[in-house]
DNA sequence: TTGACATGCGAACGATCGTTCGCTATACTG
DNA sequence: CAGTATAGCGAACGATCGTTCGCATGTCAA
């Protein structure tokens, strides 16, 4: 029961922090969103900062479990078209999942204030995707699907533009349709440029 | 004299807002940073929000004047090496200039809260650079320096990775050296891929 | 010189902040 | 059954927030 309430608190905190930031969120709003009294929150967390730290713990643990282990790597595509399709599937997931959106937003808002948020932001926005696609592209080169070039450079050149459009969707959700189309066009352009031998 | 004080207030506000965000900054800090009493601020701005809006006005006007007019466009490079050199010069400027750094940070922090910050953020981080390099690449294609492909797609593929590394420098300044090296490597990779005919 | 205005200051206001307190109800332990 | 821990509540605390007030000073036009 206690575990469950804690989880609900962190979930509501994620929602509010991602909208208004840590400083812009107060305990009264948070407890109201949970339908409980302000003071009840303190049965589960000793302070507002403790809520933030627990939320960050959770985000770090989730990221490590979800993207950190090799077992969760997507399979190397069997074709160039497969790369585009896999990309669109991943992007769709990451752009539609409210929890992932809120995680990106909160990391964006707190990256200059909290060192752990900073480190996780860099993983989320840059190095994580690059490492993941470095492996994928290495596999695709071995299969002869991609030209043999520095796979890390290719992964960076591929993921950074996509990541920037994901940020655009977070910022201006009404542009999601256009952004998705642009990501697909970019992926096909990439495939045309680097595909085959 | 009044104009001068207003300008100083906005300058100090930019510094604090970019560090702690709008909600995380209070009038006492701001006035202390200016070496003046809290109440004196209200001689120049009617509220904290008015300071924010004036700062945003200034940022919007500055952007329009600096990047919006065609006259401020950098010249089309005469060679592929020139593209890389021009890129490094621009990046160096944008990564070292404290005021530009703070502008990016404040737009990052307030993009979900303020519609005008949101719009300016998209210009700063995405469309502005893309449009600029679309023209540059169009010019380079006409000179035969670049393969004839969709210049807008090429501009997006070129600027988005660079922009993501600029964000990295804002977030983790100690990585600036590495980021600059990576930008240069990426630029040369791009030139090798798309250069010549 | 005088009067009006712009600009500065410290004190203080009411609102809101994070947090603590004392109390009650429920649920499990012996 | 008694006893203890858990989790909820409203009230209230002190700190801090944005803002206002009354007053002093300096400047400049009349």
């Amino acid at each position: 029961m206690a575990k469950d309430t804690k989880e609900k608190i962190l979930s509501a905190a994620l929602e509010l922090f991602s909208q208004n930031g840590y400083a812009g969120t107060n305990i009264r709003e948070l407890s109201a969103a949970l339908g409980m009294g302000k003071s009840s929150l303190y049965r589960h967390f000793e302070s507002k900062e403790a809520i933030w730290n627990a939320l960050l713990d959770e985000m770090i643990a989730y990221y490590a479990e979800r993207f950190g282990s090799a077992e969760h790597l997507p399979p190397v595509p069997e074709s160039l078209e497969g790369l585009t399709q896999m990309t669109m599937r991943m992007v769709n997931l990451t752009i539609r999942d409210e929890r992932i959106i809120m995680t990106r937003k909160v990391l964006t808002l707190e990256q200059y204030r909290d060192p752990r948020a900073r480190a996780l932001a860099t993983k989320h926005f840059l190095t994580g995707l690059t490492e993941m696609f470095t492996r994928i592209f290495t596999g695709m080169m071995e299969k002869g699907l991609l030209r043999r070039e520095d796979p890390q450079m290719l992964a960076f050149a591929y993921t950074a533009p996509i990541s920037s459009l994901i940020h655009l969707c977070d910022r201006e959700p009404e542009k999601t349709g256009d952004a998705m189309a642009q990501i697909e066009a970019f992926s096909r352009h990439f495939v045309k440029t680097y595909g085959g031998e």
Side-chain angles (χ1 to χ4, degrees), chain A residues 40-51:
Chain A
S40 303
L41 276 183
Y42 288 84
R43 296 286 175 199
H44 304 277
F45 294 97
E46 66 173 354
S47 69
K48 181 188 178 185
E49 210 195 347
I51 295 176

Side-chain angles (χ1 to χ4, degrees), chain A residues 115-189:
Chain A
R116 295 162 76 215
R118 179 176 330 189
L120 190 55
T122 294
K123 275 194 187 177
H124 258 266
F125 302 150
L126 193 65
T127 58
L129 278 172
T130 301
E131 285 172 13
M132 183 171 156
F133 275 83
T134 298
R135 293 186 202 174
I136 291 173
F137 286 173
T138 302
M140 289 180 73
M141 287 177 194
E142 285 165 1
K143 289 188 184 177
L145 290 171
L146 281 185
R147 275 161 47 183
R148 286 204 176 272
E149 300 203 26
D150 176 9
Q152 193 167 343
M153 179 63 80
L154 252 54
F156 172 62
Y158 187 64
T159 57
I162 292 172
S163 184
S164 80
L165 287 173
I166 291 173
H167 275 108
L168 173 65
C169 292
D170 292 342
R171 183 166 51 237
E172 307 187 58
E174 71 275 14
K175 294 189 180 169
T176 298
D178 289 350
M180 292 288 292
Q182 193 174 347
I183 289 175
E184 185 161 352
F186 171 74
S187 179
R188 297 196 190 283
H189 169 91

Side-chain angles (χ1 to χ4, degrees), chain A residues 56-74 99 120 123-124 132 135:
Chain A
L56 203 39
D57 286 342
E58 208 186 50
M59 294 192 299
I60 291 171
Y62 180 77
Y63 186 89
E65 188 237 324
R66 185 75 165 69
F67 302 105
S69 65
E71 61 191 277
H72 282 279
L73 267 183
R99 187 181 171 108
L120 190 55
K123 275 194 187 177
H124 258 266
M132 183 171 156
R135 293 186 202 174

Side-chain angles (χ1 to χ4, degrees), chain A residues 91-118:
Chain A
V91 169
N92 238 302
L93 218 147
T94 208
I95 260 177
R96 251 98 180 167
D97 186 315
E98 268 306 318
R99 187 181 171 108
I100 300 181
I101 293 175
M102 293 190 295
T103 301
R104 277 196 303 269
K105 285 190 178 181
V106 90
L107 290 176
T108 298
L109 294 179
E110 306 304 330
Q111 61 184 328
Y112 307 129
R113 190 183 60 89
D114 186 300
R116 295 162 76 215
R118 179 176 330 189

